[in-house]
C-alpha cells in the first residue's frame, strides 16, 4: 500500500500585504496551499509584481484571489475626488487585469475570486437582501456603482469558463488593523 501525496494547490493572492491579505495568506499557508502574493513591491519571498504579471502572464495556479484596493474607510485620508478615483481604480483595474490574465492562461485557474462589497445593496432599516437582488448602480449610490464595476471587471474570467466568485464583504475589523485601526 503506497500513500499518494496530495497535489499542492497554488494560490495567487493580489492584495496579500494588507491586514486582510496577511491573514488570508497565513491561513492558506497553514492549510497547505502555496501562496504567491501580487504586490507593487518586488523582492519579497513568494511575491510577484504587477509589472511582471503584465509581461510574463499569470503563473500557473488553481486559485486566483483579488482583495487589492485602497482602503475606503481610511480615516487618515481626506475623502477627495482623487482618493475616490484611487479607490475605484485600485479595485477595478486589478480585478480586470487578473481576470484577463486568468482567461488567457494556458492552464486556467479553477476558481477566480474577486472582492466586491456589501455596498452593492442599498441601505434600509427593513429590507432583506440576498444574492438574487439586482442593485442599480444609478439608484443605489456610489458604493453600489463601484461594486458593479468590480463585478463587471471579473467577466473575462467567467466568460473563459472559470468559476468566478464575487465576495461581497463588509467592513473588516480586527486586532492590529482593519477599519478604524487608528
Amino acid at each position: 500500500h503506497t500513500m499518494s501525496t496530495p497535489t499542492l494547490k497554488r494560490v495567487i493572492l493580489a492584495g496579500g500585504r494588507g491586514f486582510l491579505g496577511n491573514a488570508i495568506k497565513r491561513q492558506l499557508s497553514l492549510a497547505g496551499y502555496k501562496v504567491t502574493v501580487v504586490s507593487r513591491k518586488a523582492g519579497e519571498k513568494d511575491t510577484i509584481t504587477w509589472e511582471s504579471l503584465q509581461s510574463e502572464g499569470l503563473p500557473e495556479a488553481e486559485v486566483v484571489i483579488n482583495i487589492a484596493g485602497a482602503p475606503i474607510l481610511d480615516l487618515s485620508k481626506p475623502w477627495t475626488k482623487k482618493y475616490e478615483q484611487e479607490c475605484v481604480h485600485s479595485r477595478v483595474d486589478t480585478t480586470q487585469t487578473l481576470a484577463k490574465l486568468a482567461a488567457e492562461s494556458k492552464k486556467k485557474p479553477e476558481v477566480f475570486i474577486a472582492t466586491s462589497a456589501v455596498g452593492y445593496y442599498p441601505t434600509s432599516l427593513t429590507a432583506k437582501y440576498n444574492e438574487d437582488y439586482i442593485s442599480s448602480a444609478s439608484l443605489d449610490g456610489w458604493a453600489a456603482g463601484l461594486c458593479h464595476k468590480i463585478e463587471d471587471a471579473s467577466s473575462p474570467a467567467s466568460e473563459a469558463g472559470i468559476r468566478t466568485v464575487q465576495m461581497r464583504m463588509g467592513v473588516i475589523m480586527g486586532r492590529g488593523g482593519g477599519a478604524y485601526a487608528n
Side-chain angles (χ1 to χ4, degrees):
H1 175 280
T2 60
M3 198 169 178
S4 63
T5 308
T7 305
L8 182 67
K9 292 268 188 175
R10 294 157 300 184
V11 176
I12 304 295
L13 175 61
R17 296 282 177 242
F19 176 68
L20 179 61
N22 279 319
I24 290 173
K25 181 179 186 223
R26 185 173 43 257
Q27 290 302 310
L28 288 171
S29 296
L30 286 171
Y33 291 84
K34 180 184 181 328
V35 181
T36 301
V37 171
V38 183
S39 178
R40 293 174 297 218
K41 298 175 192 167
E44 296 186 40
K45 185 178 182 279
D46 297 324
T47 299
I48 55 175
T49 64
W50 289 99
E51 291 77 21
S52 66
L53 274 181
Q54 294 284 7
S55 62
E56 300 166 25
L58 196 66
E60 204 171 286
E62 287 73 30
V63 181
V64 175
I65 303 171
N66 185 28
I67 57 169
I72 291 176
L73 289 177
D74 186 344
L75 301 178
S76 69
K77 296 191 178 190
W79 189 261
T80 62
K81 272 288 184 199
K82 182 179 178 187
Y83 191 68
E84 181 180 307
Q85 287 306 307
E86 182 182 338
C87 289
V88 172
H89 291 296
S90 64
R91 287 168 172 72
V92 176
D93 295 351
T94 56
T95 301
Q96 189 166 49
T97 296
L98 289 168
K100 284 182 179 179
L101 291 171
E104 295 166 357
S105 295
K106 287 179 188 168
K107 185 178 183 304
K108 294 180 182 14
E110 296 167 18
V111 182
F112 181 86
I113 302 172
T115 306
S116 184
V118 294
Y120 177 90
Y121 308 104
T123 56
S124 173
L125 295 175
T126 57
K128 293 181 182 179
Y129 302 106
N130 63 26
E131 289 75 25
D132 297 326
Y133 176 78
I134 307 297
S135 86
S136 165
S138 61
L139 297 177
D140 293 337
W142 179 84
L146 174 57
C147 294
H148 278 272
K149 289 175 186 172
I150 295 166
E151 293 182 17
D152 290 347
S154 65
S155 63
S158 60
E159 290 168 2
I162 300 167
R163 181 173 158 236
T164 302
V165 176
Q166 305 292 347
M167 281 194 304
R168 293 185 181 151
M169 298 192 311
V171 176
I172 305 297
M173 293 189 273
R175 289 192 181 120
Y180 313 115
N182 298 328

